[in-house]
Amino acid sequence: MKSLKNRRTIRKYSDKPVSDKLLNELLEIAARTSTTGNMQLYSVIVTRDESMKATLAPAHFNQPMATQAPVVLTICADFNRFNKWCILRNAVPGYDNFVSFFNAAMDALFFAQTFCVAAEEKGLGICYLGTTTYNPDKIIDILALPKFVIPVTTITLGYPEVIPPQPDRLPIESFVHHETYNDYKPQDIDSYYSNKESLPENHQFIKENHKETLAQVFTDVRYKKADNEHFSKVLLETLKRQGFHKG
Amino acid sequence: MKSLKNRRTIRKYSDKPVSDKLLNELLEIAARTSTTGNMQLYSVIVTRDESMKATLAPAHFNQPMATQAPVVLTICADFNRFNKWCILRNAVPGYDNFVSFFNAAMDALFFAQTFCVAAEEKGLGICYLGTTTYNPDKIIDILALPKFVIPVTTITLGYPEVIPPQPDRLPIESFVHHETYNDYKPQDIDSYYSNKESLPENHQFIKENHKETLAQVFTDVRYKKADNEHFSKVLLETLKRQGFHKG
């Protein structure tokens, strides 16, 4: 529980290697995670090779973690293995559709998160790369992912070089609702976001970006409408290309 | 690590209540989970009321856990809170699109999984209800979820009444690939699925369902093409209805 409470994302890694033995132990623990009908609809691509990391890096917008981490794990929603099993066993798979992709993505994401918790418990640090679903097409080509396999997230893994301060979080009453959804009034929003908006680093963030409010840094700089619409198209086209074409 | 290695899904709960104090502690721990740009794009609806559980139950195909568990948590991808904050801060949100839904779903699923790990560490048991994304429209109506909020999974929570045997899992070499994806040959599939296919409970499962192979139980009984296509339509229509309409 202590490592869960104290956790922070680690973006700078030491030279200490991550052994195959430890990595395999963590992958085996993660496979205990809940999975849809015990189908285990995921695969993990382990990248240790420096030239493979460099090839993947542009798909992650060259974030330094993508090459600096000793291990990079691409976590994929995978119906390929299950489909192949079905076909070899005289069964006709019906998983070329959106909900099947989503089931596989859930399996993959639950697996990824248990892996991260276990890794942190062992003293390792992780960072998720959200860029995975922005450039899934490029990652598919680089890692030679077949039909029915889609990368959904990437974990960079290593021993921490620098342990940063813990970031702020919203108070739990802001995201917990009892019995039905209690929609937010302006005064609720003011109250829930006041701590975040008061932080010196966020004032700095607004200044650096020449914006009026922290929210504008998100909408105009970090997570822009035009980018989101572009990445939505890429992701939906990738679902179709990989075989999940039935709406 | 021990509770991770020994975990199993719990479907029968004892009468021992889950205190608000413990529930809040677990929700606070789960909020330490990695989240896209620290936006925390999730909400949790806590159901304790018996009549609310009964109202939700049909959306979960009346699985007994949905009413027998002392606590039911509906985990939602939520861009509503963030959008409201943006609008109040003179920022124009651009999150009415598919990739934004997927980012919020990832946040919600990572949060859910950390919650489950922490709950299990405290001696509680959980079961995920995959039915959530089959009937999101019904759940939205019952829980009064506004636009930009979509339920992505449900956790039933309580102290275990019965601890079942641990289910089988595929060997790690079946889902781990090194550097590039090593696609499966028929002999790989035979080897990876042989343990699962040899289990007496799976022989029983084939017999009960009058099928030839275990894979046919999945394709013809448990996860059928026609159901998947129907649920895909429902989920995609729900995305549109809740505001994530831009592809």
Side-chain angles (χ1 to χ4, degrees):
Chain A
M1 296 301 252
K2 218 180 131 201
S3 76
L4 285 175
K5 282 183 189 172
N6 293 330
R7 82 161 297 282
R8 50 213 68 196
T9 289
I10 299 298
R11 294 184 173 81
K12 291 192 178 173
Y13 304 97
S14 79
D15 292 338
K16 187 176 171 183
V18 179
S19 72
D20 280 330
K21 185 169 175 285
L22 175 57
L23 181 60
N24 286 342
E25 186 190 344
L26 296 172
L27 291 164
E28 192 151 0
I29 287 172
R32 281 280 139 219
T33 307
S34 300
T35 152
T36 308
N38 201 9
M39 293 189 281
Q40 295 183 256
L41 303 169
Y42 50 76
S43 273
V44 180
I45 322 296
V46 180
T47 308
R48 285 184 178 274
D49 182 80
E50 296 300 325
S51 72
M52 280 300 288
K53 282 185 217 165
T55 308
L56 276 170
H60 296 299
F61 300 140
N62 296 304
Q63 293 176 91
M65 305 80 84
T67 44
Q68 206 250 315
V71 181
V72 175
L73 302 174
T74 305
I75 312 292
C76 304
D78 187 333
F79 244 116
N80 170 54
R81 183 175 59 247
F82 195 83
N83 283 347
K84 285 202 154 70
W85 177 58
C86 289
I87 292 164
L88 285 166
R89 296 297 181 268
N90 201 26
V92 183
Y95 308 117
D96 55 349
N97 42 59
F98 182 67
V99 90
S100 298
F101 160 70
F102 202 77
N103 281 340
M106 284 201 287
D107 273 18
L109 296 166
F110 290 149
F111 173 92
Q113 183 54 21
T114 307
F115 178 91
C116 290
V117 168
E120 289 169 343
E121 182 83 21
K122 287 279 190 183
L124 288 153
I126 67 97
C127 182
Y128 278 112
L129 305 183
T131 39
T132 311
T133 45
Y134 300 161
N135 294 305
D137 49 341
K138 296 183 177 74
I139 295 168
I140 285 166
D141 291 339
I142 297 164
L143 301 179
L145 305 181
K147 270 188 84 166
F148 298 109
V149 182
I150 297 193
V152 289
T153 193
T154 299
I155 299 166
T156 61
L157 179 76
Y159 288 93
E161 173 74 32
V162 178
I163 297 185
Q166 214 178 22
D168 68 288
R169 289 289 192 257
L170 297 172
I172 73 161
E173 57 273 26
S174 73
F175 58 82
V176 177
H177 303 258
H178 295 279
E179 305 304 338
T180 53
Y181 196 96
N182 186 17
D183 206 354
Y184 304 94
K185 296 175 196 69
Q187 60 267 38
D188 299 328
I189 297 289
D190 289 347
S191 147
Y192 296 148
Y193 285 83
S194 66
N195 176 56
K196 186 186 288 291
E197 291 176 314
S198 74
L199 299 173
E201 63 264 35
N202 284 334
H203 284 287
Q204 185 57 28
F205 213 20
I206 297 168
K207 209 175 148 187
E208 276 169 14
N209 287 289
H210 310 287
K211 293 289 160 192
E212 293 160 21
T213 66
L214 182 61
Q216 289 178 354
V217 180
F218 282 91
T219 57
D220 302 355
V221 183
R222 297 192 68 194
Y223 299 94
K224 289 187 286 188
K225 186 182 178 71
D227 291 346
N228 293 333
E229 290 182 1
H230 171 71
F231 296 137
S232 294
K233 279 205 186 74
V234 172
L235 184 51
L236 284 166
E237 277 163 18
T238 301
L239 293 195
K240 289 205 167 70
R241 170 187 164 192
Q242 294 305 90
F244 299 103
H245 60 278
K246 287 199 184 149
Chain B
M1 296 302 250
K2 218 182 131 199
S3 75
L4 285 175
K5 282 182 189 172
N6 293 330
R7 83 161 297 281
R8 48 213 70 194
T9 289
I10 300 298
R11 293 183 173 82
K12 290 193 179 171
Y13 304 97
S14 78
D15 292 336
K16 187 176 170 183
V18 179
S19 72
D20 280 330
K21 186 168 175 286
L22 175 57
L23 180 61
N24 287 342
E25 186 190 344
L26 296 171
L27 291 165
E28 193 152 359
I29 286 171
R32 281 280 139 221
T33 308
S34 299
T35 151
T36 309
N38 202 9
M39 292 189 281
Q40 294 184 257
L41 303 170
Y42 50 75
S43 275
V44 180
I45 322 295
V46 180
T47 306
R48 284 185 178 273
D49 182 81
E50 296 301 325
S51 71
M52 280 300 288
K53 282 185 218 164
T55 308
L56 276 170
H60 296 299
F61 300 140
N62 296 305
Q63 292 175 91
M65 306 79 85
T67 43
Q68 205 250 315
V71 181
V72 175
L73 302 175
T74 305
I75 313 292
C76 304
D78 187 333
F79 244 116
N80 169 55
R81 184 175 57 246
F82 195 82
N83 283 348
K84 285 203 153 70
W85 177 59
C86 289
I87 292 164
L88 285 167
R89 296 297 182 268
N90 201 24
V92 183
Y95 309 117
D96 54 349
N97 42 60
F98 182 66
V99 90
S100 297
F101 160 71
F102 201 77
N103 281 339
M106 283 201 287
D107 274 18
L109 296 165
F110 289 150
F111 173 93
Q113 184 54 22
T114 307
F115 178 92
C116 291
V117 169
E120 288 168 344
E121 182 81 20
K122 288 279 191 185
L124 288 153
I126 67 98
C127 181
Y128 278 112
L129 305 183
T131 39
T132 311
T133 45
Y134 300 161
N135 294 305
D137 50 340
K138 296 183 177 73
I139 295 168
I140 285 166
D141 291 339
I142 297 165
L143 301 180
L145 305 181
K147 271 188 82 168
F148 298 109
V149 182
I150 297 192
V152 289
T153 194
T154 299
I155 299 166
T156 60
L157 179 75
Y159 288 94
E161 173 74 34
V162 178
I163 298 185
Q166 216 178 19
D168 68 290
R169 289 290 190 255
L170 298 172
I172 75 161
E173 58 272 27
S174 74
F175 59 82
V176 177
H177 305 257
H178 295 278
E179 303 305 336
T180 53
Y181 195 98
N182 186 19
D183 206 355
Y184 304 94
K185 296 176 196 69
Q187 60 267 37
D188 300 328
I189 296 289
D190 288 347
S191 147
Y192 296 148
Y193 285 83
S194 67
N195 177 56
K196 187 186 289 289
E197 292 175 315
S198 74
L199 298 174
E201 62 265 34
N202 284 334
H203 284 287
Q204 186 57 26
F205 214 21
I206 297 169
K207 207 175 149 188
E208 278 169 14
N209 287 288
H210 310 289
K211 292 289 158 190
E212 293 160 20
T213 67
L214 182 61
Q216 289 178 354
V217 180
F218 282 91
T219 57
D220 302 354
V221 183
R222 296 194 67 194
Y223 299 95
K224 289 187 285 189
K225 186 183 178 72
D227 291 346
N228 293 332
E229 291 182 1
H230 170 71
F231 296 136
S232 294
K233 279 205 186 76
V234 171
L235 184 52
L236 284 166
E237 277 163 17
T238 301
L239 294 194
K240 288 205 169 70
R241 168 185 165 194
Q242 294 305 88
F244 298 103
H245 60 279
K246 287 199 184 149

